[in-house]
Amino acid sequence: MNSELQEQYHRAKAIVEKQFLEVLHRDIDVQITFLKQVRALQQDILEGGIAPDNFESSLLLIKDYKSSLVKLVESRFSEPEVVNFDVDFLLFNQEVNDLIEDLEEDITRPQEQERFYKTQGDSRFLRTRKWFKRRFYAVSKSPEKFLNVFRKLFKKPVKPLRPWVHHVRLKNLASFHFGGSLPLLLLPVIAKIDRRVSHSTRVAWQIDEEIEKACKQYVQSSEHEFEVEENILHPLDQAIHNLEEFKKEIEDFAIEAFEKLFNDYENAYLKVGTMELSNSQYSHKKIESLHERLLKQYKSDQQGWLNTFTALSDDWEIDLELYFIQYAGLTEYHQAFNQLKHRVEKVIGGQLEKVTAYLEKVKERLASASDDGNQLKTLIRKEITALREELSEKTLVETNELILKQDLPSLVNSVDYRIDRLIASVSEKRAIVKGADYDQPIKASAINYISPFELIHFESWPQLLKVIRAVKVKLTEQLSQTQNEIIGVGQIAEFNLESALSLFGGDDKENKPKNIAIQGIDRTAEKIISIEESLKSFEQEIDKQLYEGLYKFNEGLTRFTNNENIYDIRVRIAKGKALQKSKVLKEELVHRIKNLAPAVISFVRLKYEHIHLLINKTYKRYGLSSQDSISAELADFLAETRSAIEKLPFVYQRLFKLEPLADINFFEGRAEEMRTLNTAYNNWMKGRFAASVLIGEKGSGATTLLNFYLKDLGTSSTVYRISPSDTIHNLDELISCFAEAFKEEFRTEEELITFLNAKKKIVVLENIQKLYLKKVRGFDTLRKLMEIIAMTNEKVFWVCSCTKYSWNYLDKTINLSDHFSYHISLNDMSDASIISLIDKRHRVSGYNLKYEPSGNELNNKKFKRLPENEQQQFLRERYFHSLNNIAKSNVSLALVYWLRSTRQIEGNTIFIGSLNENDFSFMKGLSLDKTFALANIILHDGITEEEYSNISHASVSKVRSVLYPLYEDGVLIKEEKKYFINPLLYRHTLDLLKSKNIIH
């Protein structure tokens, strides 16, 4: 090695060993760490206690393993933001640049002797030039030789001949070799690492596939055996070891490449600037060109390998996601079924055993009774009375209520909901390669992208959903049948005892009253046992149907782990979408052509009649047109609302029960209101005045909103909820109400305020419209509350609620809004939200729906020509549009109208009638006394006869003469002592009062 280059050699070699190899070692270490993490997960699942006797916990282990592994793979092969050699090897480039900067720009050095003579590899032309070069050199040195002759004659020292020199542009030369050529020579080692990464990843994947086979065998076999090879992890250990050894290999490869490069650099160093090698070969332009070539080659190679890793990881992740859904679905199924089994066998079965035990005691008392006629007769009469009071009217009713509380259809619905949520979490985009070879870079054009979510929704999910819905329908039917049978149990016992009682004093000598009574009790007990066995049998049938549906669903998911199947399904999806789109376009075009001309003609001809009819219909519907009195049919319709609803299946009643929600799955909308409440709370925490009030119609969901808001609030402060059930007339009653809620003793207002200011707390006071009466000094209690809020706002976050029309009235009378910083109105809900809140509940029931056309639709030729599915869609849209016009933001009103719209139930189909059939125009003709009574009920959210007497300054008998006819006609309903507006007439009452400018 030329001594002039020794320092550059050692310095450049150190840069390669430290900065370049360090990056490569880091990449290998990342892969080794990944493989060790995969191995740890696989070791945990192998030693995690998967056994036949803990099936559910084993399923959770498998599910968690799949979930953890997919996250690990996804994080390992996430695509970098940019693929650039200068970015990836930044320190290497910096030190190479530092090395080059430390060199001289140009140097001049003597030409070596070899530059004048031919060397191996010289062309004939170059050899000829070197011959002339030697001759010219000899001629050029003749004067120096001549002078040396005289120096010898005069015995003076002979001067050596001055050599020819060559100019070396050293920085350019070093930049070309170290900055461009060296990295290009080292690129193959990066490809070797990528190939090793791909291979070792596939080793881990193959082991995962073997574990998956064992898991599938464990789940599907009746013995639940989990068997894997003893040394299943050995290939992965070997792959990790090979990567460790590979570090030494790449060091040798890199040093070998460097030695070759430096040898080329040394040769160029000796030749450049001579006729053999021009400095122009290392110009800035060529250096930049070489660097561009390096960047392009690196990006091309790495992008190809990134494509490989993307396809490889996505291929593996698709499998992991699909298997995760399978095991998560099985886990949800087993948890739901175990709850179902517990509720049927332990809870309901336990209650039925109580009924059986009660009957056994009755039997024992009858058996131990003497045969004396009068004594036995008295005992049987006593037992009949007890059966009616204790069994029929109490225990059996409690049993049915217990069955209702178990909410068994919701367990099946939870499987539906949770699997749907699992599917929703599946990736929308994954890369796949047909016939993939992961040992080499893959071109971008070879990659196809699929949506696993779309595959599942198109192919597998509809089939499982069909099974789940069928199970829900059957379950609802079975529970309805069980309920009816339980109610009939008491009748069986009573009838048999009454039959035994009828035998006294008769001529029947064969049948003894005692025997008949005991036999009747036995048959009743047998009926209970039969009901219990029927429930258990049906429970097993549900288990079988759900499991078979889930098994087929999982089989469908397993098919997606084969890329060839995915391609076939993609073709089917594309065809199906194209056919559906062309069908819709064709139908739309035909529909427009067919209906355009008739629609124009019909509009021109019937414009006046239609508008006139619509106005009259609207006035009648909302009670704005006059009618002398309410019809008997309409009065019966209004009065019988509750009894009509009670005829519906009990599951359906519970789903649409008018009470605040506790299940978040049924909650709909109100996101903006939630955000405002959170803003108010955050400002209160910052020390600002933030008293808030929720304003909405009665039944608009304020309590439900508060339920979920407080559940998600996550506060360290104590939360108190107060909801007065009766009107609070004075300060003492208000203080008593607070004392009861806080479980403290308050005698004065000052004691209450002291307690509230003791430490931070949240007080939710609902229905503040119950704190006033519309009379002189009737607002004092409400004013006192506002004073308490003002004096405690620093320590108490006040959240109140008030009905909309009471708020408007109170704001105009006592400026109530001035006392609250945040006025949160429960705004009208969209048609979509109304549809969603109804659909969420209805879907749980498992019943089918069919909308019945009104008389107008039945007489409409255009409607009758529509296919049945389009008719149903039209009726559905019309129904919900009408429902939202009536209900608006009032959730309770929407639910009441939905339940009251049910016309009949045939099998598993519920028929929904039109909302436009009833004529409420009679309300326009209500007397002023009745109209003002309705207004006061709205403003006070219900009112008693005594309270209305105080407000109107009329006697109770006078008040009763106003309220009771409204109650008899069904306009009002009565709960305990309070009168309320019939929910079916709530909207019409509001419209009437607004039209008379009584409320705003």
Side-chain angles (χ1 to χ4, degrees):
M1 179 188 298
N2 191 295
S3 59
E4 300 170 20
L5 302 178
Q6 284 187 355
E7 182 182 353
Q8 296 180 40
Y9 170 82
H10 292 298
R11 191 171 173 184
K13 185 178 181 180
I15 293 172
V16 171
E17 290 176 340
K18 184 179 179 182
Q19 301 303 342
F20 193 85
L21 286 175
E22 184 177 329
V23 174
L24 304 186
H25 286 169
R26 185 172 67 243
D27 291 344
I28 294 174
D29 288 338
V30 168
Q31 179 65 7
I32 290 173
T33 301
F34 166 69
L35 295 177
K36 287 181 178 179
Q37 290 173 332
V38 172
R39 190 193 187 285
L41 287 176
Q42 293 174 340
Q43 185 73 37
D44 288 344
I45 194 67
L46 294 174
E47 299 177 354
I50 297 179
D53 56 351
N54 56 353
F55 186 73
E56 280 193 50
S57 60
S58 298
L59 279 179
L60 286 171
L61 284 173
I62 298 172
K63 182 191 79 168
D64 292 342
Y65 163 71
K66 296 294 182 183
S67 176
S68 300
L69 189 53
V70 73
K71 292 176 183 176
L72 187 59
V73 175
E74 195 167 22
S75 62
R76 169 65 182 93
F77 294 104
S78 56
E79 190 170 345
E81 294 182 4
V82 63
V83 179
N84 187 290
F85 182 86
D86 291 344
V87 174
D88 296 342
F89 294 89
L90 178 63
L91 294 178
F92 171 80
N93 284 338
Q94 287 177 350
E95 295 211 9
V96 167
N97 289 336
D98 291 342
L99 169 63
I100 295 169
E101 287 299 319
D102 291 341
L103 300 176
E104 297 181 37
E105 187 76 34
D106 294 307
I107 64 170
T108 302
R109 66 181 304 278
Q111 294 191 31
E112 305 291 333
Q113 191 68 23
E114 289 84 355
R115 304 284 70 77
F116 294 87
Y117 297 93
K118 65 180 181 179
T119 57
Q120 185 178 0
D122 287 349
S123 65
R124 182 177 297 178
F125 177 68
L126 182 57
R127 288 198 298 270
T128 302
R129 292 182 67 194
K130 283 186 175 183
W131 184 87
F132 282 106
K133 181 178 179 180
R134 291 194 299 274
R135 298 298 178 270
F136 287 132
Y137 179 76
V139 172
S140 68
K141 296 304 173 183
S142 296
E144 294 182 35
K145 291 179 181 179
F146 181 75
L147 290 174
N148 279 336
V149 171
F150 283 98
R151 288 190 181 94
K152 288 181 180 180
L153 288 176
F154 293 104
K155 296 181 179 181
K156 289 184 177 181
V158 178
K159 290 184 177 181
L161 298 177
R162 287 179 298 174
W164 279 6
V165 297
H166 64 121
H167 296 281
V168 180
R169 294 180 181 173
L170 189 57
K171 282 190 175 181
N172 283 12
L173 180 66
S175 181
F176 183 89
H177 284 84
F178 297 143
S181 297
L182 178 58
L184 277 170
L185 285 175
L186 293 173
L187 287 185
V189 75
I190 301 176
K192 288 178 178 288
I193 294 173
D194 290 332
R195 189 169 285 107
R196 289 294 185 99
V197 168
S198 176
H199 174 75
S200 59
T201 301
R202 283 183 289 118
V203 170
W205 186 3
Q206 289 165 2
I207 294 173
D208 176 55
E209 288 179 333
E210 293 301 317
I211 294 175
E212 170 57 29
K213 291 178 183 177
C215 292
K216 193 171 291 294
Q217 175 66 24
Y218 172 78
V219 170
Q220 294 180 354
S221 65
S222 56
E223 296 83 9
H224 296 306
E225 296 178 353
F226 183 76
E227 296 180 351
V228 293
E229 294 182 9
E230 185 176 350
N231 297 321
I232 188 173
L233 297 179
H234 179 70
L236 186 55
D237 293 332
Q238 186 62 45
I240 295 172
H241 175 74
N242 291 342
L243 284 174
E244 295 283 2
E245 293 293 321
F246 186 59
K247 289 182 181 180
K248 177 61 178 169
E249 293 181 32
I250 64 172
E251 289 177 10
D252 295 341
F253 182 91
I255 296 303
E256 181 181 347
F258 170 75
E259 294 289 352
K260 180 181 181 304
L261 181 280
F262 200 87
N263 186 57
D264 293 341
Y265 172 68
E266 183 179 14
N267 289 334
Y269 178 79
L270 298 174
K271 294 178 181 180
V272 71
T274 69
M275 64 175 57
E276 293 179 74
L277 185 62
S278 172
N279 273 303
S280 64
Q281 295 293 323
Y282 306 105
S283 65
H284 289 294
K285 184 176 181 180
K286 291 194 174 181
I287 292 171
E288 291 175 0
S289 177
L290 184 63
H291 189 68
E292 289 296 325
R293 177 184 160 199
L294 167 65
L295 295 180
K296 184 177 180 181
Q297 183 67 41
Y298 179 79
K299 184 173 183 179
S300 175
D301 292 347
Q302 287 307 296
Q303 193 61 59
W305 280 110
L306 281 175
N307 292 338
T308 299
F309 295 144
T310 298
L312 171 61
S313 61
D314 277 12
D315 199 351
W316 190 2
E317 287 171 41
I318 289 173
D319 293 359
L320 290 171
E321 283 186 322
L322 296 174
Y323 289 133
F324 170 74
I325 291 175
Q326 292 183 36
Y327 293 114
L330 283 170
T331 301
E332 297 295 345
Y333 155 73
H334 281 286
Q335 289 177 346
F337 179 72
N338 285 338
Q339 288 185 51
L340 179 70
K341 185 175 182 179
H342 171 76
R343 294 181 188 183
V344 170
E345 296 183 6
K346 301 297 183 183
V347 181
I348 299 176
Q351 182 68 14
L352 292 176
E353 287 175 2
K354 290 181 181 179
V355 177
T356 304
Y358 176 83
L359 293 172
E360 286 296 327
K361 289 181 181 179
V362 173
K363 179 182 176 181
E364 289 175 6
R365 288 194 291 269
L366 290 171
S368 61
S370 66
D371 292 332
D372 177 74
N374 290 331
Q375 184 181 358
L376 182 59
K377 188 176 182 180
T378 301
L379 177 62
I380 292 176
R381 283 177 174 168
K382 182 180 178 182
E383 294 297 344
I384 291 174
T385 302
L387 279 170
R388 287 173 181 164
E389 294 176 354
E390 296 296 324
L391 188 64
S392 297
E393 297 178 3
K394 185 178 179 183
T395 305
L396 295 181
V397 172
E398 289 175 355
T399 303
N400 273 336
E401 289 177 353
L402 183 65
I403 294 174
L404 181 64
K405 289 178 181 177
Q406 300 316 301
D407 202 8
L408 300 182
S410 70
L411 294 177
V412 181
N413 185 66
S414 69
V415 177
D416 172 358
Y417 174 75
R418 289 171 181 169
I419 293 179
D420 192 27
R421 290 289 298 273
L422 288 170
I423 295 172
S425 67
V426 173
S427 54
E428 292 278 2
K429 184 180 180 182
R430 290 291 189 190
I432 62 170
V433 179
K434 197 170 185 178
D437 180 6
Y438 298 125
D439 281 329
Q440 60 185 7
I442 295 175
K443 294 181 179 179
S445 58
I447 295 180
N448 290 289
Y449 291 95
I450 58 104
S451 170
F453 173 81
E454 188 178 53
L455 288 175
I456 297 171
H457 259 272
F458 178 81
E459 193 78 6
S460 301
W461 177 234
Q463 298 176 13
L464 178 60
L465 199 57
K466 185 178 180 181
V467 172
I468 291 174
R469 286 173 176 169
V471 167
K472 285 192 288 188
V473 170
K474 290 184 178 180
L475 179 58
T476 303
E477 291 175 349
Q478 176 68 28
L479 292 176
S480 296
Q481 180 182 344
T482 301
Q483 184 188 34
N484 293 332
E485 290 177 349
I486 289 173
I487 292 299
V489 164
Q491 297 173 350
I492 294 172
E494 289 177 33
F495 178 78
N496 280 276
L497 290 182
E498 288 173 354
S499 299
L501 197 61
S502 67
L503 292 174
F504 286 100
D507 297 329
D508 191 343
K509 303 298 183 182
E510 295 181 4
N511 295 315
K512 302 296 183 181
K514 187 175 182 178
N515 293 338
I516 293 297
I518 292 173
Q519 290 172 6
I521 297 300
D522 283 337
R523 283 194 293 272
T524 306
E526 288 172 3
K527 182 63 176 177
I528 292 294
I529 295 172
S530 173
I531 291 172
E532 190 173 359
E533 290 176 350
S534 176
L535 282 173
K536 289 180 181 178
S537 175
F538 186 68
E539 164 208 313
Q540 294 169 359
E541 184 181 348
I542 289 176
D543 179 31
K544 181 180 178 182
Q545 289 183 4
L546 277 179
Y547 183 79
E548 288 178 353
L550 198 57
Y551 179 78
K552 291 180 180 178
F553 173 72
N554 288 343
E555 277 189 330
L557 296 185
T558 302
R559 289 178 59 239
F560 299 149
T561 60
N562 186 320
N563 287 1
E564 301 301 321
N565 292 334
I566 290 177
Y567 275 96
D568 294 340
I569 294 169
R570 283 183 67 210
V571 171
R572 292 211 303 273
I573 292 175
K575 287 182 178 179
K577 286 183 175 179
L579 287 173
Q580 183 66 24
K581 186 175 181 180
S582 62
K583 182 180 178 181
V584 170
L585 290 174
K586 182 180 178 181
E587 289 177 351
E588 184 179 353
L589 180 61
V590 172
H591 180 73
R592 287 184 177 182
I593 293 173
K594 284 184 176 180
N595 293 288
L596 181 60
V600 172
I601 296 171
S602 176
F603 177 76
V604 173
R605 186 180 54 169
L606 300 175
K607 181 179 179 181
Y608 174 78
E609 292 85 350
H610 177 71
I611 293 175
H612 182 70
L613 179 63
L614 182 62
I615 292 173
N616 287 339
K617 184 178 179 181
T618 303
Y619 269 67
K620 286 183 178 180
R621 180 181 171 193
Y622 292 107
L624 302 180
S625 63
S626 61
Q627 179 175 310
D628 292 338
S629 61
I630 183 172
S631 66
E633 293 82 1
L634 183 56
D636 292 341
F637 174 81
L638 295 172
E640 294 173 2
T641 296
R642 180 170 297 182
S643 61
I645 291 174
E646 289 174 352
K647 293 178 183 178
L648 294 172
F650 72 94
V651 172
Y652 215 73
Q653 293 180 47
R654 189 173 190 276
L655 285 171
F656 292 89
K657 196 170 184 180
L658 301 183
E659 61 182 19
L661 283 176
D663 189 345
I664 190 66
N665 296 329
F666 294 148
F667 188 56
E668 182 67 29
R670 304 306 188 199
E672 183 62 35
E673 290 87 340
M674 283 281 201
R675 280 193 291 270
T676 306
L677 277 172
N678 282 317
T679 300
Y681 174 76
N682 292 334
N683 285 332
W684 174 70
M685 291 294 289
K686 295 174 183 176
R688 301 171 187 168
F689 184 72
S692 304
V693 60
L694 287 175
I695 306 163
E697 289 185 355
K698 178 180 174 63
S700 58
T703 301
T704 295
L705 176 64
L706 289 169
N707 286 345
F708 294 121
Y709 167 71
L710 294 174
K711 184 177 180 181
D712 296 336
L713 183 58
T715 180
S716 59
S717 302
T718 306
V719 178
Y720 297 95
R721 294 192 69 171
I722 307 170
S723 181
S725 56
D726 296 319
T727 303
I728 295 177
H729 299 88
N730 52 57
L731 178 60
D732 291 338
E733 291 182 5
L734 180 64
I735 292 174
S736 297
C737 178
F738 278 122
E740 182 179 353
F742 298 143
K743 297 180 180 178
E744 297 283 341
E745 294 251 345
F746 304 126
R747 283 189 288 264
T748 65
E749 178 185 350
E750 289 73 19
E751 291 179 356
L752 171 61
I753 293 173
T754 301
F755 170 80
L756 290 172
N757 284 325
K759 61 179 181 178
K760 281 185 174 290
K761 54 181 67 67
I762 297 172
V763 177
V764 177
L765 178 56
E766 300 182 62
N767 301 320
I768 60 173
Q769 71 274 3
K770 294 185 181 295
L771 304 185
Y772 87 102
L773 277 179
K774 188 182 172 187
K775 65 172 188 173
V776 176
R777 303 193 62 80
F779 303 92
D780 291 351
T781 306
L782 200 52
R783 285 195 174 98
K784 276 295 180 184
L785 174 65
M786 296 305 106
E787 292 178 11
I788 293 171
I789 290 176
M791 297 175 69
T792 60
N793 71 87
E794 291 185 2
K795 291 292 185 179
V796 181
F797 177 48
W798 288 93
V799 181
C800 300
S801 69
C802 184
T803 55
K804 178 179 179 181
Y805 302 102
S806 299
W807 174 266
N808 292 339
Y809 171 73
L810 292 169
D811 194 31
K812 287 180 172 60
T813 52
I814 61 172
N815 297 320
L816 190 59
S817 63
D818 293 346
H819 301 279
F820 293 92
S821 292
Y822 293 89
H823 309 147
I824 305 169
S825 296
L826 300 179
N827 298 318
D828 291 351
M829 300 177 73
S830 65
D831 285 9
S833 296
I834 290 291
I835 293 172
S836 180
L837 72 87
I838 296 291
D839 276 350
K840 282 181 179 179
R841 289 165 169 78
H842 173 77
R843 187 168 61 247
V844 175
S845 74
Y847 279 91
N848 297 322
L849 276 181
K850 189 167 184 179
Y851 295 90
E852 293 183 335
S854 64
N856 289 337
E857 276 87 29
L858 291 174
N859 295 325
N860 190 316
K861 294 181 180 180
K862 175 183 172 183
F863 173 81
K864 290 193 290 187
R865 285 197 299 266
L866 292 175
E868 185 177 358
N869 62 332
E870 293 186 21
Q871 288 183 357
Q872 285 297 303
Q873 183 62 28
F874 170 80
L875 294 173
R876 173 185 168 85
E877 292 175 357
R878 183 212 60 186
Y879 176 86
F880 279 109
H881 180 72
S882 299
L883 181 62
N884 199 43
N885 284 338
I886 296 172
K888 297 184 178 173
S889 64
N890 198 315
V891 177
S892 297
L893 200 54
L895 298 182
V896 168
Y897 265 90
W898 175 263
L899 289 174
R900 198 62 181 94
S901 299
T902 55
R903 293 293 182 263
Q904 59 179 331
I905 300 174
E906 292 183 4
N908 63 351
T909 301
I910 295 178
F911 291 84
I912 302 295
S914 170
L915 289 175
N916 300 324
E917 294 179 351
N918 295 313
D919 182 3
F920 297 110
S921 60
F922 74 91
M923 295 192 68
K924 184 69 175 178
L926 291 177
S927 65
L928 284 177
D929 287 344
K930 292 180 178 179
T931 302
F932 279 109
L934 296 177
N936 279 296
I937 292 173
I938 291 289
L939 293 178
H940 288 86
D941 187 19
I943 204 166
T944 64
E945 293 174 357
E946 291 75 12
E947 288 170 347
Y948 190 43
S949 174
N950 289 333
I951 293 170
S952 61
H953 304 291
S955 65
V956 173
S957 60
K958 173 65 175 176
V959 166
R960 190 175 293 121
S961 68
V962 174
L963 297 178
Y964 201 75
L966 291 172
Y967 171 70
E968 284 292 316
D969 288 340
V971 177
L972 300 181
I973 59 175
K974 192 174 182 181
E975 295 181 4
E976 295 181 353
K977 294 182 178 181
K978 279 201 172 187
Y979 291 91
F980 297 91
I981 305 294
N982 189 320
L984 294 175
L985 284 175
Y986 185 78
R987 183 64 59 205
H988 309 88
T989 302
L990 293 177
D991 291 335
L992 171 67
L993 297 177
K994 287 178 182 178
S995 70
K996 294 180 179 294
N997 205 29
I998 297 175
I999 64 170
H1000 307 280

